[in-house]
Amino acid sequence: MSAMRTQLLIVACVNIGQFIDGYSVGWSAPIIPKLQDLSQSPLKEVITDLQVSWIGSLLYLGSIVGPYIPSYLSNIVGRKPCLLFGGILNLTSIILIVTTKNIAMIFAIRIISGLGMGMVTVSNLVYVGEIASTNIRGILLTSTSIVGISGTLAAYCVGPFVSYKMTGYFVLLINIVHVIGIYFIPESPVYYAIKGKEIEAKNTLRSLGRVEDLESIFESVRGTNPDEARSWKAWIKIFTVKANRRSLGITLTLCTLQQTSGVAAVLFFATTIFQVAGSSIRPDIATIVIGSTRLVASMIAPFVVERAGRRILLLVSTAFCACSLSILGTYFHLARLQSSIISEIGWLPLLSLIMYFFSYEIGFGTMPSALVGEMFRGNARSTGSAVSMTTAWLIGFGVATSFGSMVKILGGDVTFWIFSCSCLVAFMFTLKCVPETKGKSLNEIQEMLSR
């Protein structure tokens, strides 16, 4: 029991970084109105529409680059230093928030936050997947998504009601605690195995209550040359080793379909849909409602992931996502036709939106990242995770930025039907291609993928 408590404490410490990442994602929503009001802005001039778009997009720019730093360094210096470096980048961005004097510093905040988010997210998934016991690995991996959503909700709840500088001070102490905590956590036993350090790996596993896994961990990294991490050979192994190739195909496809389901666009469009529904809820309150829905739904996944399994949750989630987006598209189609029934179903977009976010977070929003953390071989886990996650973020960025044009050219109905079809494809892909990893050790997963 004490070993289980140790794992939970370590993951809680690691997940503080995920909270900061989630906060960074949500930070711009309440901050942009402040920067457009000189009485609240730390800047001397009101920001332009072009600068508003850069404040949003620069976070994605940093997050696309960030994961490749741990993909290169994690097998060379270890998983723990990568976690620490990501935490320090987040701390740097927060210090810039409280010292902001010009728009260049705002841009720097978003780029550095993105770099930190990319590093922390990939490093968390790799590290947690490697230290967790088989029977709770799914729970601990899905917890990272929950904490990230909590951070975004915190930004929505705090940002509109405090000053610009206070949005930084709010998380400053939290980030300092994270950096200090990372300093005291153990290095991953898989990293020690890659380096051939059996005594260190055994001591870490003993503290985690997993000493019986020593042999399987060394088996999972057999044939790994630590020096390859510095060369192109580490990347080649993602495609030449069958288990890695299958892992990449599965995680990359799921992460891509996750983004083409339009989640980023739906998040950005949420306030407008509330207005279309005739809701009297203020936009800032509407975002809190959406954030709360996401948080409650995501908290369901850890309770059932080790009972139902990853595959079942994905199937149920993608099916309901497809259904809710199809209903939303139908509403916009009726609106385009100026149907008389629209006045009687003004509540439908709001209901569809809540249904979408609820069903998305119980599986489609959490399971792909959990699978990223457990499907790759130890020597390719950081690299494979970086490829899957950055590709997903790049596609998400493209979907979000093109959403306005899609609605203008295709209409809201066709746009949401396209998103619905992506969820349907994800359902079929999961049914045909995604194996169940519930109850399997990392080594057993590799053996299954190698067949």
Side-chain angles (χ1 to χ4, degrees):
M1 190 65 184
S2 60
M4 186 78 72
R5 194 180 299 117
T6 299
Q7 290 188 33
L8 293 174
L9 187 61
I10 290 171
V11 173
C13 180
V14 168
N15 276 347
I16 296 174
Q18 210 69 46
F19 179 90
I20 302 296
D21 288 347
Y23 189 85
S24 296
V25 171
W27 181 78
S28 60
I31 285 302
I32 287 173
K34 294 183 188 299
L35 297 177
Q36 293 171 326
D37 181 358
L38 283 181
S39 65
Q40 300 184 72
S41 174
L43 310 179
K44 294 180 180 178
E45 296 180 351
V46 173
I47 58 173
T48 64
D49 290 341
L50 179 61
Q51 289 169 337
V52 167
S53 66
W54 276 109
I55 290 170
S57 61
L58 286 175
L59 180 75
Y60 286 94
L61 181 64
S63 66
I64 290 167
V65 175
Y68 290 98
I69 301 173
S71 77
Y72 177 78
L73 291 178
S74 63
N75 286 352
I76 300 173
V77 300
R79 279 59 164 154
K80 180 177 168 179
C82 290
L83 285 167
L84 192 61
F85 187 19
I88 291 171
L89 283 172
N90 281 339
L91 181 60
T92 302
S93 69
I94 292 168
I95 291 172
L96 286 174
I97 289 176
V98 300
T99 58
T100 297
K101 287 183 169 47
N102 52 56
I103 190 64
M105 292 180 74
I106 302 283
F107 291 159
I109 288 166
R110 300 305 278 166
I111 293 172
I112 296 170
S113 291
L115 285 169
M117 183 171 76
M119 281 201 70
V120 168
T121 300
V122 169
S123 298
N124 278 9
L125 291 173
V126 171
Y127 181 83
V128 172
E130 292 177 349
I131 65 121
S133 296
T134 300
N135 62 322
I136 61 168
R137 188 177 62 242
I139 295 172
L140 296 183
L141 282 169
T142 52
S143 72
T144 61
S145 296
I146 297 171
V147 177
I149 293 169
S150 300
T152 302
L153 181 57
Y156 290 161
C157 292
V158 172
F161 310 108
V162 300
S163 67
Y164 173 87
K165 283 190 176 182
M166 278 304 299
T167 63
Y169 283 123
F170 174 74
V171 288
L172 182 60
L173 183 59
I174 297 172
N175 207 137
I176 291 172
V177 169
H178 174 240
V179 171
I180 294 173
I182 293 298
Y183 180 80
F184 290 102
I185 65 173
E187 180 54 84
S188 164
V190 175
Y191 171 71
Y192 284 137
I194 290 172
K195 292 294 186 180
K197 297 181 178 180
E198 186 172 345
I199 295 174
E200 289 87 343
K202 191 172 184 178
N203 289 337
T204 300
L205 287 169
R206 184 179 290 113
S207 69
L208 297 171
R210 296 180 53 208
V211 72
E212 72 279 359
D213 294 333
L214 181 65
E215 186 177 338
S216 65
I217 284 178
F218 271 83
E219 179 64 31
S220 71
V221 299
R222 197 176 301 282
T224 300
N225 181 356
D227 293 331
E228 285 184 357
R230 296 180 173 88
S231 72
W232 54 269
K233 292 181 181 179
W235 289 89
I236 292 298
K237 282 198 170 183
I238 300 179
F239 304 99
T240 56
V241 177
K242 184 177 180 180
N244 288 339
R245 195 165 57 244
R246 278 195 68 190
S247 298
L248 183 64
I250 291 168
T251 57
L252 191 57
T253 302
L254 281 177
C255 288
T256 298
L257 290 170
Q258 181 192 61
Q259 293 303 315
T260 55
S261 75
V263 61
V266 175
L267 271 171
F268 294 153
F269 199 53
T271 302
T272 305
I273 295 175
F274 269 93
Q275 293 169 345
V276 169
S279 175
S280 59
I281 301 174
R282 285 166 35 198
D284 54 348
I285 301 300
T287 56
I288 294 174
V289 171
I290 290 298
S292 301
T293 301
R294 294 180 66 207
L295 179 60
V296 171
S298 66
M299 290 176 70
I300 294 173
F303 290 103
V304 296
V305 66
E306 294 298 350
R307 294 182 181 180
R310 285 70 157 155
R311 198 164 174 271
I312 292 295
L313 281 179
L314 267 174
L315 289 170
V316 171
S317 176
T318 50
F320 277 95
C321 280
C323 181
S324 58
L325 289 174
S326 177
I327 292 171
L328 195 56
T330 301
Y331 177 90
F332 277 97
H333 185 66
L334 291 172
R336 179 193 281 194
L337 297 176
Q338 297 181 333
S339 172
S340 58
I341 199 175
I342 283 293
S343 60
E344 299 174 18
I345 57 170
W347 45 267
L348 190 60
L350 175 56
L351 181 64
S352 300
L353 197 60
I354 291 174
M355 178 182 169
Y356 170 76
F357 280 114
F358 193 87
S359 53
Y360 176 84
E361 295 299 346
I362 65 169
F364 204 14
T366 52
M367 290 306 113
S369 59
L371 291 172
V372 165
E374 64 185 7
M375 293 194 85
F376 292 97
R377 290 180 68 86
N379 60 327
R381 192 164 290 124
S382 296
T383 307
S385 300
V387 172
S388 295
M389 299 302 291
T390 55
T391 302
W393 284 332
L394 185 61
I395 291 171
F397 174 63
V399 171
T401 52
S402 63
F403 180 69
S405 299
M406 288 177 68
V407 172
K408 186 178 291 185
I409 297 169
L410 302 174
D413 48 0
V414 176
T415 300
F416 283 111
W417 284 336
I418 290 172
F419 293 159
S420 176
C421 286
S422 288
C423 296
L424 193 58
V425 171
F427 176 88
M428 297 304 297
F429 178 79
T430 301
L431 191 64
K432 296 288 185 182
C433 304
V434 179
E436 182 54 73
T437 59
K438 180 186 74 169
K440 292 181 172 62
S441 68
L442 295 178
N443 201 38
E444 288 171 335
I445 293 171
Q446 292 309 308
E447 291 176 357
M448 176 177 63
L449 292 169
S450 298
R451 294 173 194 152

